[in-house]
Each structure stands twice: as structure tokens, then as C-alpha cells.
Amino acid sequence: MSTTKPAAKPAKTPKAAKTAAPAAAGAEAAAKPAKKRAVNTAPRKDAAKSSGPRHDPSRLAQILIGPIVSEKATLVSEKRNQVVFKVLRDSNKTEIKAAIELMFPKTEVASVQTTVQKGKAKRVGRSIGRRDHIKKAYVTLKPGHELNFSGEGA
């Protein structure tokens, strides 16, 4: 008895039908090959000249809302040479550093750490409200530098 394999069944073509329909509808799009974007890896001419990111002075003047005076801020000031500021919530560390060096010209900033303090939920009678969220910036000053809030000697 001879064993023969049955003839191979023709492959179903639902995939071919699906791909043929869009090609017919957009024949022009299928005819043009996709262009590859050229990536410029050459260094910029002014890259060596730039000393860091440039910020708008009018924005920098608005970033610092005010200093935070509390027991924790005083402790941090004495131990780590840091000053705590309330800042705009959409500001970033480089803007905060630039704002402090703009407002206090003789001061140099070593680093900036930020935290966002979530506002507490408060009740007044039956209504429930929430205090605003606050962003704080802990600004570490370089050794030998200090901030003078009184305005003397400026």
C-alpha cells in the first residue's frame, strides 16, 4: 500500500484582500517611498560660547515668590548653608538658580533641590476646600556666600 500525502490546500487570502483595498484607495501614497529624515550630528558653531541655558529676565523676576521662614528653614540654613524659597510650581531647577543669581548678584548657587507640598483638605461647615499646593526650593549656596534679605550693603 502506498502512502501519498494529500495535495496542499490553497492558502486562504483574507490578508491579501485587506492589504489590496488600501493600496487601491491610496495608490499615490503607496507609490512614493517614505523619506528618511537626515540627522545633523555636527556640533553647533556657538556651542563652545554658550555658558548655559538662557532665560527670560522678566520670567526670572516672577519665579521667586518669597523666602520661607520657619524652624526647619532656620535649621537647614545653619547646618547646610541653604535658603528655602517659595517658587512658582511650573519652574525648574535651572530657572530657580538663574533667578537667585539675578536677584542677588553677589551670590553663587551650588545646587537646588525642590519639593512640592500638597495642599491640605480643609472644611468650613459642610463645604470642603483645599489649600494651594506649594513648591519649595532648597537652595544650597557655595561656601563663603550668603543671602542678605535686609538690602543693606547692596
Side-chain angles (χ1 to χ4, degrees):
M1 190 162 146
S2 69
T3 57
T4 59
K5 293 184 179 179
K9 294 182 181 179
K12 295 182 182 180
T13 59
K15 291 181 183 177
K18 288 180 182 177
T19 57
E28 294 176 8
K32 293 181 181 179
K35 291 183 179 180
K36 291 186 178 180
R37 293 180 74 182
V39 179
N40 186 5
T41 57
R44 292 185 354 213
K45 293 178 182 177
D46 59 339
K49 295 178 187 176
S50 70
S51 60
R54 305 238 188 266
H55 300 289
D56 183 24
S58 63
R59 165 129 171 101
L60 293 180
Q62 297 173 353
I63 286 179
L64 299 178
I65 296 172
I68 294 177
V69 180
S70 64
E71 289 182 23
K72 183 176 180 180
T74 305
L75 184 70
V76 165
S77 174
E78 293 170 356
K79 290 198 174 199
R80 298 192 183 127
N81 197 23
Q82 289 182 331
V83 183
V84 185
F85 285 96
K86 182 178 177 182
V87 295
L88 292 179
R89 285 203 338 228
D90 63 340
S91 60
N92 59 33
K93 292 179 181 184
T94 57
E95 286 178 333
I96 294 168
K97 179 178 178 178
I100 291 188
E101 290 178 348
L102 176 73
M103 296 293 182
F104 305 98
K106 296 179 182 178
T107 304
E108 292 185 29
V109 175
S111 67
V112 177
Q113 289 85 31
T114 59
T115 61
V116 177
Q117 178 181 351
K118 302 296 182 187
K120 294 170 85 174
K122 301 302 267 180
R123 289 185 56 161
V124 177
R126 286 186 287 176
S127 61
I128 297 175
R130 176 179 282 277
R131 290 183 184 164
D132 286 339
H133 303 308
I134 297 172
K135 186 169 191 174
K136 295 180 183 180
Y138 289 82
V139 179
T140 305
L141 302 174
K142 289 188 177 177
H145 291 272
E146 61 181 28
L147 289 182
N148 187 3
F149 292 113
S150 64
E152 296 174 7

